[in-house]
Amino acid sequence: MIERILFVCLGNICRSPSAEAVLRAKAAARGLSLDIDSAGTGDWHLGEPPYGPMQAAARARGYDLSGLRARRVGAADFDRFDLILAMDADNRADLARLAPAGARARLAMFTDYLPDGEAGAVPDPYYTRDFDGTLDLVERASDGLLDVLER
Ligand code: 4NP
C-alpha cells in the first residue's frame, strides 16, 4: 500500500514543494491519510522557503507554501518512502543513481498520473516563468494519482 510519497525536483523551491502542498490539500479533501514530503537533487537552496513567485501563484489558488524548507534527497529517503515521484527525466536519472541496491521505494514520473501523452515532464518554472502552467499540471497529476490510490 502506498502511504508515503516524496516529490523530487532540482531545487526543491518550485515544482516539488508545490506538488507537496497540492497533494496534501487534495488528499485531505478526499479524507485520505498520506505522508507527503518533497526534496531536491541539488543543494543550492537548502533551508530556503519556496521561491517567491511560486509561492504567490500557489497562494492565489489557496495553497500555502510558506512553511516549507528546501532539503536534499538522500539514500535514506528510499527506505522512508513508498513512492518517489520525479518531475523530469533529469531528476529521475539522478534518483536512479542515488537509489541504494534493494531500495524499497518505487521510482516513477509524476506525469505518469496525467492522461496519456499530456506531458512527459513538469517543466521547470524557475526557467520558463510559467508558474500557473506548473500548478495546472501539478493539480491534474495529483488528481490522477489520488484516483489511482483510491482504486
Ligand atoms: P525546481 O526549480 O527544481 O522546480 O525547484 C529550480 C529552482 C532553482 C534552481 C533550479 C531549479 N536553481 O538552479 O537555482
Side-chain angles (χ1 to χ4, degrees), residues 6-89:
L6 179 68
F7 290 107
V8 175
C9 63
L10 180 58
N12 193 210
I13 59 168
C14 289
R15 294 166 292 174
S16 64
S18 297
E20 175 185 350
V22 168
L23 187 70
R24 189 170 286 137
K26 286 180 174 289
R30 296 194 193 204
L32 289 177
S33 173
L34 296 174
D35 180 0
I36 303 162
D37 195 8
S38 67
T41 59
D43 62 359
W44 305 282
H45 299 283
L46 300 184
E48 293 178 19
Y51 188 47
M54 187 75 252
Q55 282 201 53
R59 195 180 308 118
R61 299 189 186 199
Y63 306 110
D64 180 8
L65 307 188
S66 65
L68 304 179
R69 295 294 179 268
R71 73 171 182 92
R72 194 172 200 180
V73 66
D77 287 311
F78 288 84
D79 284 324
R80 190 178 143 210
F81 292 93
D82 302 312
L83 181 62
I84 299 182
L85 294 172
M87 293 292 163
D88 62 34

Side-chain angles (χ1 to χ4, degrees), residues 101-141:
R104 191 169 81 87
R106 192 165 79 79
L107 182 55
M109 298 289 288
F110 190 30
T111 50
D112 289 349
Y113 298 92
L114 288 167
D116 265 359
E118 183 168 322
V122 180
D124 192 339
Y126 195 74
Y127 301 107
T128 68
R129 314 307 293 175
D130 184 7
F131 299 96
D132 272 303
T134 293
L135 288 168
D136 287 341
L137 280 179
V138 163
E139 287 185 322
R140 290 161 57 70

